[in-house]
Amino acid sequence: MTEEEDIAQSAARTLAYQPVQVTGWLAAGGLLLAGLAWLARGVWEIRLAVAGEPAAGPPDQGDGVHRPLNSLEDSYHLVSSAGGVLVFLCAMLFLSWLFRLRDNARVLSGDAPKYAGIWVFAGWFVPVVNLWFPRGIVVDAFRGSVPGGRLPTSVNVWWGLWLVGMLTGVGIVYRDSTDQIIERAYTEGWQLQLSDAFVIAAAVAGAIAVRAVTTAQVARIRGLQEADTRMAESV
Protein backbone atom coordinates (compact mmCIF):
# COMPACT_ATOMS: atom_id res chain seq x y z
CA MET A 1 0.00 0.00 0.00
CA THR A 2 1.36 3.42 -0.98
CA GLU A 3 1.62 6.37 1.40
CA GLU A 4 -1.20 8.11 -0.48
CA GLU A 5 -3.42 5.08 0.08
CA ASP A 6 -2.46 5.02 3.76
CA ILE A 7 -3.44 8.67 4.10
CA ALA A 8 -6.74 8.10 2.31
CA GLN A 9 -7.49 5.12 4.55
CA SER A 10 -6.67 7.15 7.66
CA ALA A 11 -8.95 9.97 6.52
CA ALA A 12 -11.79 7.51 5.90
CA ARG A 13 -11.27 5.99 9.35
CA THR A 14 -11.40 9.42 10.98
CA LEU A 15 -14.70 10.21 9.26
CA ALA A 16 -16.11 6.88 10.48
CA TYR A 17 -15.53 7.66 14.17
CA GLN A 18 -18.66 8.57 16.13
CA PRO A 19 -18.39 11.43 18.63
CA VAL A 20 -18.53 9.56 21.92
CA GLN A 21 -17.06 11.85 24.57
CA VAL A 22 -20.08 14.11 25.08
CA THR A 23 -22.42 11.13 24.78
CA GLY A 24 -20.38 9.45 27.51
CA TRP A 25 -20.76 12.45 29.79
CA LEU A 26 -24.52 12.47 29.16
CA ALA A 27 -24.83 8.74 29.80
CA ALA A 28 -22.88 9.05 33.06
CA GLY A 29 -25.05 12.00 34.08
CA GLY A 30 -28.17 10.03 33.25
CA LEU A 31 -27.03 7.19 35.48
CA LEU A 32 -26.43 9.58 38.36
CA LEU A 33 -29.90 11.08 37.85
CA ALA A 34 -31.37 7.57 37.95
CA GLY A 35 -29.45 6.97 41.18
CA LEU A 36 -30.93 10.17 42.65
CA ALA A 37 -34.40 9.05 41.58
CA TRP A 38 -33.87 5.76 43.41
CA LEU A 39 -32.56 7.62 46.45
CA ALA A 40 -35.80 9.63 46.54
CA ARG A 41 -37.79 6.40 46.31
CA GLY A 42 -35.74 4.98 49.16
CA VAL A 43 -36.47 8.00 51.36
CA TRP A 44 -40.21 7.63 50.72
CA GLU A 45 -40.02 3.89 51.43
CA ILE A 46 -38.39 4.62 54.78
CA ARG A 47 -41.19 7.09 55.51
CA LEU A 48 -43.75 4.40 54.67
CA ALA A 49 -41.99 1.87 56.93
CA VAL A 50 -41.88 4.36 59.82
CA ALA A 51 -45.55 5.30 59.37
CA GLY A 52 -46.59 1.64 59.37
CA GLU A 53 -49.29 -0.09 57.39
CA PRO A 54 -52.77 1.44 57.85
CA ALA A 55 -55.45 -0.58 59.62
CA ALA A 56 -57.21 -0.94 56.25
CA GLY A 57 -54.33 -3.12 55.02
CA PRO A 58 -52.18 -2.87 51.87
CA PRO A 59 -53.30 -0.77 48.88
CA ASP A 60 -53.69 -3.89 46.70
CA GLN A 61 -56.12 -6.05 48.68
CA GLY A 62 -56.34 -8.83 46.12
CA ASP A 63 -58.99 -9.93 43.64
CA GLY A 64 -58.68 -6.58 41.87
CA VAL A 65 -59.70 -4.58 44.94
CA HIS A 66 -57.67 -1.45 45.74
CA ARG A 67 -58.42 0.75 48.71
CA PRO A 68 -58.05 4.57 48.47
CA LEU A 69 -54.45 5.70 49.01
CA ASN A 70 -53.48 7.93 51.92
CA SER A 71 -51.46 11.10 51.27
CA LEU A 72 -48.08 9.46 51.89
CA GLU A 73 -48.85 6.56 49.55
CA ASP A 74 -50.15 8.97 46.92
CA SER A 75 -46.96 11.04 47.12
CA TYR A 76 -44.91 7.84 46.71
CA HIS A 77 -46.74 7.21 43.45
CA LEU A 78 -45.71 10.70 42.29
CA VAL A 79 -42.07 10.14 43.30
CA SER A 80 -42.09 6.75 41.57
CA SER A 81 -43.56 8.21 38.36
CA ALA A 82 -41.02 11.04 38.29
CA GLY A 83 -38.28 8.50 38.84
CA GLY A 84 -39.61 6.45 35.96
CA VAL A 85 -39.21 9.43 33.63
CA LEU A 86 -35.60 9.92 34.75
CA VAL A 87 -34.85 6.22 34.36
CA PHE A 88 -36.25 6.26 30.81
CA LEU A 89 -34.05 9.27 30.00
CA CYS A 90 -31.07 7.44 31.50
CA ALA A 91 -31.79 4.37 29.36
CA MET A 92 -31.95 6.42 26.15
CA LEU A 93 -28.70 8.23 26.92
CA PHE A 94 -26.95 4.99 27.87
CA LEU A 95 -28.06 3.18 24.71
CA SER A 96 -27.04 6.13 22.53
CA TRP A 97 -23.58 6.00 24.11
CA LEU A 98 -23.34 2.23 23.76
CA PHE A 99 -24.19 2.26 20.05
CA ARG A 100 -21.52 4.90 19.39
CA LEU A 101 -19.01 3.00 21.51
CA ARG A 102 -19.68 -0.18 19.50
CA ASP A 103 -19.39 1.63 16.16
CA ASN A 104 -16.04 3.14 17.11
CA ALA A 105 -14.78 -0.22 18.41
CA ARG A 106 -15.64 -1.79 15.05
CA VAL A 107 -13.67 0.89 13.19
CA LEU A 108 -10.72 0.62 15.57
CA SER A 109 -10.51 -3.17 15.51
CA GLY A 110 -11.72 -3.85 11.98
CA ASP A 111 -13.88 -6.65 13.40
CA ALA A 112 -17.65 -6.96 13.64
CA PRO A 113 -19.07 -6.73 17.19
CA LYS A 114 -19.45 -10.03 19.00
CA TYR A 115 -23.13 -9.33 19.72
CA ALA A 116 -25.72 -8.40 17.07
CA GLY A 117 -27.18 -4.90 17.36
CA ILE A 118 -30.60 -6.17 18.48
CA TRP A 119 -29.04 -7.35 21.74
CA VAL A 120 -28.13 -3.79 22.70
CA PHE A 121 -31.88 -3.44 23.43
CA ALA A 122 -33.14 -6.99 23.91
CA GLY A 123 -30.19 -8.08 26.05
CA TRP A 124 -31.65 -6.20 29.03
CA PHE A 125 -35.03 -7.95 28.94
CA VAL A 126 -34.64 -11.51 27.58
CA PRO A 127 -34.46 -13.90 30.56
CA VAL A 128 -31.17 -15.66 31.28
CA VAL A 129 -29.14 -13.78 28.63
CA ASN A 130 -29.84 -10.54 30.52
CA LEU A 131 -27.53 -11.90 33.22
CA TRP A 132 -24.44 -11.29 31.06
CA PHE A 133 -25.20 -9.87 27.59
CA PRO A 134 -25.25 -6.15 28.53
CA ARG A 135 -21.91 -6.44 30.34
CA GLY A 136 -20.57 -8.52 27.46
CA ILE A 137 -21.48 -5.81 24.95
CA VAL A 138 -19.58 -3.18 26.95
CA VAL A 139 -16.59 -5.49 27.42
CA ASP A 140 -16.52 -6.40 23.72
CA ALA A 141 -16.52 -2.71 22.75
CA PHE A 142 -13.73 -1.96 25.22
CA ARG A 143 -11.53 -4.80 23.99
CA GLY A 144 -12.10 -3.77 20.39
CA SER A 145 -11.09 -0.22 21.30
CA VAL A 146 -8.08 -1.00 23.47
CA PRO A 147 -6.57 -4.37 22.43
CA GLY A 148 -4.80 -5.91 25.39
CA GLY A 149 -6.01 -3.15 27.70
CA ARG A 150 -7.10 -3.95 31.23
CA LEU A 151 -10.86 -3.80 31.69
CA PRO A 152 -11.75 -1.06 34.20
CA THR A 153 -12.71 -2.59 37.56
CA SER A 154 -15.75 -0.32 37.65
CA VAL A 155 -17.35 -2.32 34.82
CA ASN A 156 -17.46 -5.49 36.91
CA VAL A 157 -18.51 -3.60 40.03
CA TRP A 158 -21.34 -1.94 38.12
CA TRP A 159 -22.59 -5.20 36.70
CA GLY A 160 -22.38 -7.09 39.99
CA LEU A 161 -24.39 -4.42 41.79
CA TRP A 162 -26.89 -4.24 38.91
CA LEU A 163 -27.50 -8.02 39.11
CA VAL A 164 -28.13 -7.90 42.86
CA GLY A 165 -30.63 -5.06 42.41
CA MET A 166 -32.36 -6.86 39.52
CA LEU A 167 -32.55 -10.26 41.21
CA THR A 168 -34.08 -8.76 44.37
CA GLY A 169 -36.95 -7.44 42.26
CA VAL A 170 -36.43 -3.70 42.70
CA GLY A 171 -33.80 -3.02 40.08
CA ILE A 172 -34.34 -0.31 37.48
CA VAL A 173 -36.12 -3.04 35.47
CA TYR A 174 -38.60 -4.56 37.94
CA ARG A 175 -41.90 -6.46 37.87
CA ASP A 176 -43.71 -5.32 41.03
CA SER A 177 -46.39 -2.64 40.74
CA THR A 178 -46.05 0.56 42.75
CA ASP A 179 -48.74 -0.62 45.18
CA GLN A 180 -46.85 -3.90 45.65
CA ILE A 181 -43.67 -1.95 46.41
CA ILE A 182 -45.63 0.07 48.98
CA GLU A 183 -46.77 -3.18 50.60
CA ARG A 184 -43.17 -4.38 50.68
CA ALA A 185 -42.13 -1.11 52.35
CA TYR A 186 -44.63 -1.88 55.12
CA THR A 187 -43.80 -5.57 55.55
CA GLU A 188 -40.14 -5.97 54.59
CA GLY A 189 -38.72 -2.49 54.86
CA TRP A 190 -35.06 -3.28 55.55
CA GLN A 191 -34.83 -5.77 52.66
CA LEU A 192 -36.31 -3.22 50.29
CA GLN A 193 -33.98 -0.48 51.51
CA LEU A 194 -30.96 -2.76 51.16
CA SER A 195 -31.95 -3.56 47.58
CA ASP A 196 -32.40 0.15 46.86
CA ALA A 197 -28.89 0.76 48.17
CA PHE A 198 -27.52 -1.75 45.64
CA VAL A 199 -29.39 -0.03 42.80
CA ILE A 200 -28.07 3.40 43.82
CA ALA A 201 -24.53 2.02 44.12
CA ALA A 202 -24.92 0.37 40.69
CA ALA A 203 -25.91 3.71 39.16
CA VAL A 204 -22.84 5.43 40.62
CA ALA A 205 -20.52 2.57 39.58
CA GLY A 206 -22.12 2.60 36.13
CA ALA A 207 -21.38 6.31 35.71
CA ILE A 208 -17.74 5.67 36.66
CA ALA A 209 -17.57 2.72 34.26
CA VAL A 210 -18.99 4.77 31.38
CA ARG A 211 -16.39 7.47 31.94
CA ALA A 212 -13.53 4.96 32.22
CA VAL A 213 -14.46 3.08 29.03
CA THR A 214 -15.14 6.30 27.12
CA THR A 215 -11.83 7.81 28.20
CA ALA A 216 -9.94 4.71 27.06
CA GLN A 217 -11.58 4.73 23.64
CA VAL A 218 -11.12 8.47 23.13
CA ALA A 219 -7.42 8.16 24.06
CA ARG A 220 -6.96 5.39 21.47
CA ILE A 221 -8.72 7.41 18.77
CA ARG A 222 -6.66 10.51 19.52
CA GLY A 223 -3.46 8.49 19.45
CA LEU A 224 -4.29 7.11 16.01
CA GLN A 225 -5.33 10.51 14.71
CA GLU A 226 -2.07 12.06 15.90
CA ALA A 227 -0.12 9.28 14.21
CA ASP A 228 -2.11 9.83 11.00
CA THR A 229 -1.39 13.57 11.17
CA ARG A 230 2.33 12.99 11.59
CA MET A 231 2.31 10.60 8.65
CA ALA A 232 0.47 13.10 6.45
CA GLU A 233 2.91 15.88 7.39
CA SER A 234 5.88 13.71 6.52
CA VAL A 235 4.66 13.10 2.95
Side-chain angles (χ1 to χ4, degrees):
M1 184 179 293
T2 66
E3 288 185 349
E4 290 76 9
E5 289 173 332
D6 282 338
I7 292 172
Q9 189 179 65
S10 298
R13 186 170 61 234
T14 297
L15 290 174
Y17 292 137
Q18 297 290 326
V20 72
Q21 191 165 30
V22 173
T23 311
W25 278 112
L26 291 173
L31 283 162
L32 292 177
L33 283 176
L36 285 175
W38 233 254
L39 177 61
R41 282 174 55 118
V43 169
W44 254 255
E45 287 158 7
I46 291 172
R47 292 180 64 192
L48 287 165
V50 170
E53 186 173 81
D60 184 352
Q61 304 198 331
D63 299 322
V65 178
H66 291 258
R67 66 166 172 77
L69 300 176
N70 60 37
S71 60
L72 181 57
E73 294 166 343
D74 197 45
S75 66
Y76 180 78
H77 270 264
L78 294 176
V79 169
S80 180
S81 296
V85 172
L86 290 178
V87 168
F88 177 77
L89 175 63
C90 168
M92 294 300 100
L93 292 172
F94 186 89
L95 292 175
S96 175
W97 167 76
L98 190 52
F99 271 115
R100 290 170 185 258
L101 189 80
R102 276 166 44 93
D103 287 344
N104 286 345
R106 176 181 52 78
V107 175
L108 288 166
S109 67
D111 297 325
K114 180 179 178 181
Y115 300 87
I118 185 63
W119 290 115
V120 176
F121 292 104
W124 298 91
F125 305 105
V126 177
V128 182
V129 301
N130 63 356
L131 297 177
W132 76 87
F133 267 34
R135 174 191 174 276
I137 291 169
V138 173
V139 171
D140 183 54
F142 175 82
R143 289 175 176 163
S145 303
V146 190
R150 182 179 179 183
L151 182 71
T153 302
S154 54
V155 173
N156 289 328
V157 173
W158 156 65
W159 192 245
L161 292 169
W162 167 271
L163 287 180
V164 172
M166 181 179 70
L167 294 174
T168 55
V170 294
I172 290 179
V173 180
Y174 61 95
R175 293 177 296 276
D176 291 347
S177 69
T178 304
D179 283 347
Q180 288 172 324
I181 294 292
I182 289 173
E183 182 178 354
R184 290 181 65 183
Y186 287 138
T187 60
E188 48 186 75
W190 72 267
Q191 296 100 318
L192 189 61
Q193 292 149 25
L194 181 62
S195 297
D196 287 338
F198 278 109
V199 174
I200 295 166
V204 174
I208 296 171
V210 166
R211 292 305 310 144
V213 173
T214 303
T215 298
Q217 186 178 85
V218 169
R220 175 87 191 287
I221 290 173
R222 285 178 176 170
L224 290 174
Q225 287 175 332
E226 290 171 0
D228 292 340
T229 299
R230 288 193 298 270
M231 182 179 66
E233 290 174 348
S234 66
V235 175

